[in-house]
Amino acid sequence: QVQLVESGGGLVQAGGSLRLFCAASGRTFSSYAMGWFRQAPGKEREFVAAITANGGRTEYADSVKGRFTISRENANNTVYLQMNSLKPEDTAVYFCAAQTTSYISRLRDYYYWGQGTQVTVSS
């Protein structure tokens, strides 16, 4: 079992940056693909970025390509989301999640979830 705790969210002006952290418990973190998802008020949860277990492949939603970067440190059981050039439409609760399939952008394949961290981007 994997427990996930997100941090790093906050309030930032448009054009600014934030770095999200997801700390995982358990000795098998390096076996899991990790993803970041977000959910804005009144909207469905959506895929943001994901990285394979060994970090060799990443995928991004079109809306964040070129602005967000996902990375991981298996030695520290941590996955990161660097968010640059933030826009008001990036405002949402951001969740990290873990799974073991190769479909790393598919929400329904993720079965471990954190509680989320709020990101608010002001215009």
Side-chain angles (χ1 to χ4, degrees):
Q1 190 168 356
V2 177
Q3 292 184 325
L4 305 171
V5 179
E6 302 94 336
S7 61
L11 173 64
V12 63
Q13 288 188 332
S17 298
L18 281 175
R19 194 180 199 200
L20 303 185
F21 304 80
C22 176
S25 66
R27 286 181 252 177
T28 58
F29 174 75
S30 60
S31 301
Y32 292 90
M34 299 297 296
W36 285 98
F37 296 81
R38 67 187 181 187
Q39 188 165 17
K43 295 187 177 181
E44 293 186 352
R45 194 169 296 188
E46 65 176 6
F47 169 72
V48 175
I51 188 167
T52 52
N54 66 1
R57 176 167 63 95
T58 57
E59 293 188 15
Y60 296 91
D62 288 343
S63 58
V64 307
K65 278 181 183 176
R67 300 189 298 122
F68 291 11
T69 303
I70 188 171
S71 59
R72 66 187 296 161
E73 288 184 356
N74 285 345
N76 294 328
N77 282 15
T78 304
V79 63
Y80 309 93
L81 185 68
Q82 178 67 43
M83 306 186 296
N84 299 328
S85 301
L86 282 160
K87 305 176 181 180
E89 51 263 44
D90 295 318
T91 295
V93 177
Y94 282 71
F95 300 88
C96 73
Q99 57 114 314
T100 55
T101 78
S102 59
Y103 301 100
I104 63 174
S105 64
R106 204 159 66 181
L107 184 150
R108 68 174 185 263
D109 288 311
Y110 285 83
Y111 43 87
Y112 293 122
W113 290 86
Q115 293 301 305
T117 185
Q118 176 71 47
V119 171
T120 303
V121 184
S122 63
S123 58

